[in-house]
Amino acid sequence: MLLGPGGGKETPRAGSPLLAREWTSPRACLGGHVLPLPTAALASVVCPEAGPATRQSGTESCVRLEPRSWGRERVRHVLYGSRRGTEAAAATGQMPSAARKSQERDRASMEPPPADDYAKERYGVLPLIQSQEKSDRVLVRINDLTVEKADEVVWVRGRIHTSRAKGKQCFLVLRQQQFNVQALVAVGDHASKQMVKFAANINKESIVDVEGIVRKVHQKIGGCTQQDIELHVQKIYVISLAEPRLPLQLDDAVRAEVEGEEEGRATVNQDTRLDNRVIDLRTCTSQAVFHLQSGICQLFRETLIHKGFVEIQTPKIISAPSEGGANVFTVSYFKSSAYLAQSPQLYKQMCICADFEKVFCIGPVFRAEDSNTHRHLTEFVGLDIEMAFNYHYHEVVDEIADTLVQIFKGLQERFQTEILTVNKQFPCEPFKFLEPTLRLEYREALAMLREAGVEMGDEDDLSTPNEKLLGRLVKEKYDTDFYILDKYPLAVRPFYTMPDPGNPKNSNSYDMFMRGEEILSGAQRIHNPQLLTERAQHHGIDLEKIKAYIDSFRFGAPPHAGGGIGLERVTMLYLGLSNVRQTSMFPRDPKRLTP
């Protein structure tokens, strides 16, 4: 509650613009705005420099802050910690006078240069590119700007990451994906004062074309990836002008949480990142994560093609749940219903029956699980393998394990830059694995857990905490982050899993783990139609809906096995990240359907 102009208590509308003179308290606003925050967040924003926070009833609160005594960094911390706060401060319909003047200055700086400016042809805002003409101009990639190009004149296209004007010169940092370079615009033969002013006032994240001379520097530039050179700008043109207000600052988005806590600097929470995913994906960390993830797909495909596998594409709209159970999305399909595929399992097997022998596919998988955990998504990318074998399903297990090992090796060899980039923000121990891969039976895992004090039945499935504990026990004993768990209880596996002939309570199935979390689930499949029918009935599956699947085994089917890998989980666990949403470009979970 705040005192109104007449002295009575009034409650301002959250996000409404207020002028300080309209209120008896000089701390009634910050930049002319009331900031709405969740009540639970009040404790984190009260500080000695700020005015007292006054709680409103309901889920929002207005916080009275003294703008001059509370730094901009700490205000950003408040905004990033509250989605509503960000929306109210950034998306308000009316603009405070200070911001309006700033925007007017920005517009003025983008106006055409004066006629008497000797550098007027060397800078400005270019017309919208509508493919009006072709150009022979060669643009050099920022990561290719090295000392070998010293004294060369080059053209570069990049985003304005930061700008800092100092006297008659302006320092820019130009960014292109996860690489950046320092650029200098200084008054001289090629640049006028107006040109320096123009460069200094280009909004962050705007895209520019720059012509400059590559110069070697005597002291390394610590804040850039291209540390041994800088670009001396001769021409600068705006290709696409960004709006002056960004929903988040990229420097804040790449700051390590520990650094933010210790130094009291701003960091960006997960919801704010995902709400503004296009901006968040521009950070060097996000760029590195998804370049590495692309590498996983590339290595998966390369390795399997080298092993003689054929890539296939399978339907995602199917007539019956592929895994059984209720965790399936039902969709309207003309005058009937259909389902989104929980896995390509049935179709991989049908291809094996069609004599393809070794197949793999990469595609979306849908799970209608109301699980709001760090590792569950309702849609993820599946890397699936299926293979006929001669005599024992371990032939397939060994092939899959070797495929993953080749991926791990390839990432170490090809993506060290990306790994180091992610580690700067999210420090993590290097991923360890053995050759050949460690394989334990389920009963051995139970013995290790029971020895550590865990009570589990012989046919109980592993819970997430027990998976993680087992991962730590395996790491301590065998010094590996990657291992296989074999011979799961039949009761916890899908209907098409082959029972263990030596123990009817067990199955010829296996999971693979990274850093104590499951990344692959697989098994030998039942390739006998009578046994398959019995197991489907046991699981309560409508036989009519899987008739085509069962019929595919009636005309001779080779013994076969396979598995499904979650791409986002592999990326998350290889890099040691804490949440699968960090490795899903546009994640889908029970609470998120946009962007």
Side-chain angles (χ1 to χ4, degrees):
M1 306 292 285
L2 301 174
L3 295 176
K9 294 182 178 180
E10 297 182 17
T11 303
R13 177 174 55 84
S16 60
L18 301 173
L19 296 179
R21 60 180 172 78
E22 294 178 345
W23 303 91
T24 57
S25 168
R27 300 176 179 178
C29 61
L30 174 64
H33 289 75
V34 171
L35 304 181
L37 295 173
T39 302
L42 283 173
S44 66
V45 300
V46 176
C47 71
E49 300 88 6
T54 305
R55 179 175 301 178
Q56 285 182 216
S57 60
T59 60
E60 292 185 349
S61 303
C62 290
V63 181
R64 298 182 293 183
L65 307 174
E66 174 56 60
R68 283 179 294 182
S69 63
W70 194 334
R72 189 182 302 271
E73 292 285 345
R74 301 184 72 176
V75 171
R76 282 210 299 269
H77 180 71
V78 172
L79 295 180
Y80 294 153
S82 166
R83 189 190 308 180
R84 296 186 191 179
T86 304
E87 291 171 352
T92 181
Q94 301 182 35
M95 188 179 295
S97 58
R100 185 168 59 251
K101 289 178 181 178
S102 173
Q103 195 172 68
E104 288 170 357
R105 285 197 301 270
D106 290 340
R107 280 199 298 268
S109 68
M110 295 296 106
E111 291 176 355
D116 59 350
D117 182 0
Y118 64 88
K120 62 183 179 181
E121 302 297 332
R122 295 181 171 273
Y123 67 97
V125 180
L126 293 184
L128 180 68
I129 294 178
Q130 295 179 287
S131 303
Q132 301 96 322
E133 59 184 16
K134 297 179 181 180
S135 174
D136 295 329
R137 180 183 296 165
V138 176
L139 297 173
V140 177
R141 304 291 298 177
I142 284 179
N143 63 314
D144 291 333
L145 295 177
T146 61
V147 290
E148 284 74 21
K149 291 189 178 292
D151 301 324
E152 290 186 21
V153 177
V154 298
W155 277 95
V156 171
R157 176 169 293 181
R159 290 187 183 273
I160 299 291
H161 185 68
T162 61
S163 63
R164 177 171 56 89
K166 186 178 181 181
K168 294 183 179 181
Q169 58 187 12
C170 174
F171 291 93
L172 304 172
V173 173
L174 304 178
R175 193 187 73 250
Q176 191 177 69
Q177 297 183 329
Q178 72 238 50
F179 304 100
N180 51 36
V181 65
Q182 180 171 282
L184 172 64
V185 189
V187 173
D189 294 339
H190 297 287
S192 62
K193 289 182 180 179
Q194 293 91 334
M195 179 172 168
V196 173
K197 182 180 177 182
F198 173 86
N201 284 285
I202 300 174
N203 297 331
K204 286 184 180 181
E205 294 304 296
S206 296
I207 300 174
V208 296
D209 275 1
V210 170
E211 182 196 66
I213 303 175
V214 180
R215 296 296 191 195
K216 186 176 180 180
V217 295
H218 300 295
Q219 185 175 354
K220 287 185 179 291
I221 302 171
C224 295
T225 60
Q226 313 310 105
Q227 298 186 342
D228 299 317
I229 58 98
E230 68 179 3
L231 202 58
H232 288 201
V233 177
Q234 296 182 336
K235 298 177 182 177
I236 182 168
Y237 302 104
V238 175
I239 300 298
S240 178
L241 186 64
E243 293 189 0
R245 289 189 173 194
L246 297 174
L248 57 88
Q249 298 296 323
L250 270 72
D251 285 342
D252 298 339
V254 298
R255 185 170 292 117
E257 291 184 5
V258 174
E259 181 184 338
E261 291 172 1
E262 291 178 352
E263 301 180 12
R265 303 178 73 183
T267 58
V268 184
N269 73 6
Q270 182 171 274
D271 277 341
T272 303
R273 290 177 183 277
L274 297 181
D275 288 343
N276 303 281
R277 193 57 160 159
V278 171
I279 303 296
D280 182 54
L281 288 174
R282 295 178 186 175
T283 66
C284 59
T285 303
S286 292
Q287 288 284 318
V289 166
F290 290 103
H291 275 80
L292 182 137
Q293 187 174 90
S294 174
I296 292 173
C297 290
Q298 180 183 347
L299 288 161
F300 180 75
R301 182 175 279 114
E302 281 179 9
T303 302
L304 291 177
I305 289 175
H306 181 72
K307 290 175 178 288
F309 281 71
V310 176
E311 183 170 7
I312 62 170
Q313 302 298 330
T314 62
K316 307 308 174 192
I317 303 174
I318 58 179
S319 62
S322 47
E323 298 281 351
N327 59 339
V328 58
F329 288 108
T330 305
V331 296
S332 174
Y333 194 74
F334 300 102
K335 294 183 178 181
S336 62
S337 295
Y339 305 93
L340 295 182
Q342 297 160 292
S343 99
Q345 182 55 54
L346 311 185
Y347 295 94
K348 289 190 303 176
Q349 288 186 258
M350 291 167 76
C351 287
I352 297 298
C353 293
D355 289 345
F356 280 90
E357 294 188 355
K358 297 179 177 182
V359 298
F360 74 94
C361 63
I362 301 174
V365 175
F366 304 91
R367 301 285 172 88
E369 297 175 348
D370 192 10
S371 298
N372 296 284
T373 72
H374 75 285
R375 65 176 191 171
H376 284 95
L377 295 170
T378 53
E379 179 184 350
F380 63 91
V381 177
L383 309 178
D384 277 84
I385 300 173
E386 203 72 22
M387 171 183 162
F389 62 84
N390 294 324
Y391 300 107
H392 201 287
Y393 74 96
H394 281 178
E395 297 168 32
V396 181
V397 175
D398 293 340
E399 198 78 292
I400 296 174
D402 181 66
T403 298
L404 285 164
V405 166
Q406 296 308 314
I407 290 173
F408 301 150
K409 286 182 175 180
L411 294 177
Q412 289 178 345
E413 294 168 3
R414 303 184 195 178
F415 293 90
Q416 271 303 308
T417 299
E418 286 75 11
I419 293 169
L420 293 174
T421 299
V422 176
N423 284 347
K424 286 180 183 177
Q425 184 172 3
F426 302 102
C428 180
E429 293 183 4
F431 186 79
K432 291 186 176 182
F433 54 93
L434 301 176
E435 291 186 85
T437 301
L438 173 68
R439 181 163 59 227
L440 301 172
E441 290 200 0
Y442 197 80
R443 58 180 177 79
E444 295 177 89
L446 287 182
M448 293 175 69
L449 289 169
R450 287 166 179 166
E451 188 177 338
V454 175
E455 295 183 3
M456 281 186 64
D458 290 346
E459 296 185 70
D460 291 345
D461 201 358
L462 286 177
S463 64
T464 299
N466 288 342
E467 276 186 9
K468 291 185 175 182
L469 173 58
L470 181 61
R472 292 194 296 271
L473 295 174
V474 169
K475 182 69 177 289
E476 290 172 7
K477 187 172 182 179
Y478 300 100
D479 195 29
T480 181
D481 291 309
F482 176 58
Y483 68 96
I484 303 166
L485 204 55
D486 194 16
K487 296 293 183 184
Y488 268 73
L490 184 62
V492 300
R493 306 304 274 197
F495 76 95
Y496 48 72
T497 304
M498 180 68 77
D500 179 2
N503 183 345
K505 290 187 177 181
N506 289 343
S507 63
N508 293 349
S509 65
Y510 44 88
D511 281 358
M512 296 186 185
F513 295 83
M514 293 173 61
R515 298 191 197 269
E517 296 195 42
E518 176 238 312
I519 53 103
L520 174 143
S521 185
Q524 178 182 352
R525 324 300 187 181
I526 297 174
H527 58 284
N528 177 277
Q530 288 74 33
L531 180 56
L532 188 61
T533 300
E534 291 175 14
R535 294 300 300 164
Q537 289 174 328
H538 177 79
H539 281 258
I541 294 173
D542 186 345
L543 295 180
E544 188 59 33
K545 291 186 176 181
I546 60 170
K547 183 178 182 299
Y549 170 63
I550 295 176
D551 286 348
S552 65
F553 299 101
R554 298 190 187 280
F555 310 104
H560 59 281
I565 304 168
L567 174 62
E568 291 85 354
R569 280 196 195 177
V570 171
T571 311
M572 172 184 74
L573 294 168
Y574 185 83
L575 293 170
L577 301 176
S578 62
N579 197 299
V580 73
R581 290 156 188 80
Q582 294 171 278
T583 57
S584 175
M585 190 162 277
F586 297 100
R588 294 291 177 264
D589 61 34
K591 296 182 179 179
R592 181 169 291 278
L593 197 55
T594 59

